[in-house]
């Protein structure tokens, strides 16, 4: 059982002096997103030279003051210089849910510019650690061919096993969990609405098992709501998922000011 390194230090920002205190915390997979998931990922993409576009949908009457404009929905779209990969912040755009949590980032790629359709997509809810999403995007950006698979699924499980995660006893080749059995990663049927360019993913009959893709999630208590969830469509290259998994399961502490209510008592922490 994990416990605070400094239990006497306040975690409630209202009890601290001078604003919210900063902590180095672990494990990373339970540390949440610090309520900075957009900023962390957007800063990474800006550093990679991706272009950001804000799409605003609404109604603007002539001579109407800006503050009176009726904005219906808005999204922020980040596009790589070669336009083969993109990341959409969809939290403000009526996102669908994954594990009863709203999708915050949708990241996709295509094989060439002649097709407007994504070859694969991946999805991340709120409270996915921003470090893991950022590392995933850096790896995607570095790929010359964003949709070509380079390796098999074993690489994903090896990545988390190196950080002490335990392979599933019944299915050691498709799943693993952290030592506290709180966070999981598994290769299996993808949830509904997960978009993939493989036509086989779109032709599954009601009584058939769908295409297999990687899913990851944190469940702080048995039967409780998930803290976060991530889903990768069937065609996402395994080496990219492995980068996400390695970062997610990393034992390196992360800096946080806002800790998830559901996991704060399970986090090791030290004042920064």
């Amino acid at each position: 059982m994990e416990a605070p390194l400094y239990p006497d230090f306040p975690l409630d920002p209202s009890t601290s002096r001078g604003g919210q205190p900063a902590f180095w915390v672990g494990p990373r997979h339970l540390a949440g997103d610090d309520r900075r998931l957009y900023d962390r990922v957007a800063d990474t993409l800006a550093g990679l030279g991706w272009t950001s576009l804000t799409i605003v949908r609404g109604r603007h009457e002539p001579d109407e003051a800006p503050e009176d404009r009726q904005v219906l929905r808005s999204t922020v779209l980040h596009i790589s210089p070669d336009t083969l990969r993109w990341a959409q912040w969809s939290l403000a755009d009526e996102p669908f849910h994954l594990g009863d949590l709203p999708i915050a980032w949708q990241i996709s790629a295509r094989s060439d510019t002649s097709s407007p359709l994504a070859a694969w997509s991946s999805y991340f809810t709120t409270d996915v650690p921003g470090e893991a999403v950022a590392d995933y995007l850096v790896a995607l950006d570095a790929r010359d061919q964003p949709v070509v698979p380079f390796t098999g699924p074993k690489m994903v499980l090896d990545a988390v096993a190196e950080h002490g995660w335990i392979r599933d006893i019944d299915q050691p080749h498709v799943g693993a969990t952290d030592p506290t059995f709180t966070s999981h990663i598994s290769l299996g049927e993808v949830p509904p609405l997960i978009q993939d360019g493989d036509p086989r993913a779109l032709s599954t009959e009601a009584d058939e098992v769908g295409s297999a893709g990687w899913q990851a999630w944190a469940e702080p208590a048995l039967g409780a709501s998930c803290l976060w969830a991530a889903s990768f469509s069937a065609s996402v290259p395994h080496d990219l998922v492995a980068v996400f998994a390695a970062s997610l399961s990393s034992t390196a502490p992360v800096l946080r000011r806002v800790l998830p209510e559901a996991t704060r008592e399970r986090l090791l922490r030290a004042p920064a």
Side-chain angles (χ1 to χ4, degrees):
M1 178 65 68
E2 296 175 348
L5 290 178
Y6 294 85
D8 294 333
F9 278 79
L11 282 181
D12 186 349
S14 64
T15 64
S16 63
R17 296 181 180 179
Q20 293 174 313
F23 293 88
W24 290 107
V25 305
R28 180 179 299 187
H29 59 90
L30 298 181
D33 61 10
D34 206 28
R35 298 180 185 171
R36 296 189 66 255
L37 185 56
Y38 175 78
D39 293 334
R40 179 61 189 259
V41 174
D43 289 348
T44 297
L45 294 175
L48 295 173
W50 289 35
T51 300
S52 63
L53 303 171
T54 301
I55 304 170
V56 178
R57 302 173 178 88
R59 183 168 60 248
H60 192 164
E61 300 295 337
D63 301 324
E64 183 180 32
E67 61 269 19
D68 296 329
R69 182 178 182 182
Q70 299 181 35
V71 177
L72 302 180
R73 297 188 298 170
S74 63
T75 62
V76 182
L77 184 66
H78 301 257
I79 306 173
S80 66
D82 62 6
T83 72
L84 294 180
R85 50 215 106 187
W86 60 94
Q88 179 178 328
W89 174 257
S90 58
L91 196 62
D93 195 29
E94 299 180 5
F96 66 88
H97 286 64
L98 183 65
D100 295 326
L101 298 171
I103 298 294
W105 280 103
Q106 177 178 339
I107 299 168
S108 307
R110 57 181 176 173
S111 57
D112 57 74
T113 57
S114 64
S115 173
L117 301 178
W120 57 256
S121 294
S122 50
Y123 306 80
F124 306 88
T125 72
T126 53
D127 272 326
V128 173
E131 294 84 358
V133 182
D135 289 344
Y136 175 73
L137 280 163
V138 169
L140 172 60
D141 181 81
R143 260 175 159 262
D144 291 332
Q145 298 175 305
V147 303
V148 178
F150 293 152
T151 186
K154 182 177 180 294
M155 186 177 186
V156 178
L157 298 178
D158 287 346
V160 295
E162 289 182 1
H163 295 150
W165 285 36
I166 306 166
R167 294 184 185 242
D168 187 280
I169 297 177
D170 298 323
Q171 297 179 306
H173 302 297
V174 297
T177 182
D178 80 287
T180 66
F181 299 97
T182 303
S183 297
H184 313 266
I185 189 165
S186 177
L187 179 62
E189 185 177 1
V190 298
L193 303 179
I194 300 301
Q195 300 176 8
D196 192 87
D198 187 342
R200 291 172 297 179
L202 303 176
S203 59
T204 304
E205 299 295 335
D207 58 347
E208 295 178 342
V209 176
S211 300
W214 288 100
Q215 317 300 315
W217 67 97
E219 188 178 17
L222 186 63
S225 299
C226 290
L227 172 64
W228 57 261
S231 182
F232 303 84
S233 71
S235 298
V236 177
H238 296 295
D239 60 290
L240 288 179
V241 183
V243 171
F244 170 81
S247 182
L248 178 73
S249 60
S250 173
T251 57
V254 290
L255 192 64
R256 293 290 187 269
R257 286 181 170 81
V258 181
L259 303 182
E261 183 68 31
T263 58
R264 63 170 55 192
E265 298 304 326
R266 305 174 72 110
L267 292 169
L268 292 165
R269 55 187 181 269

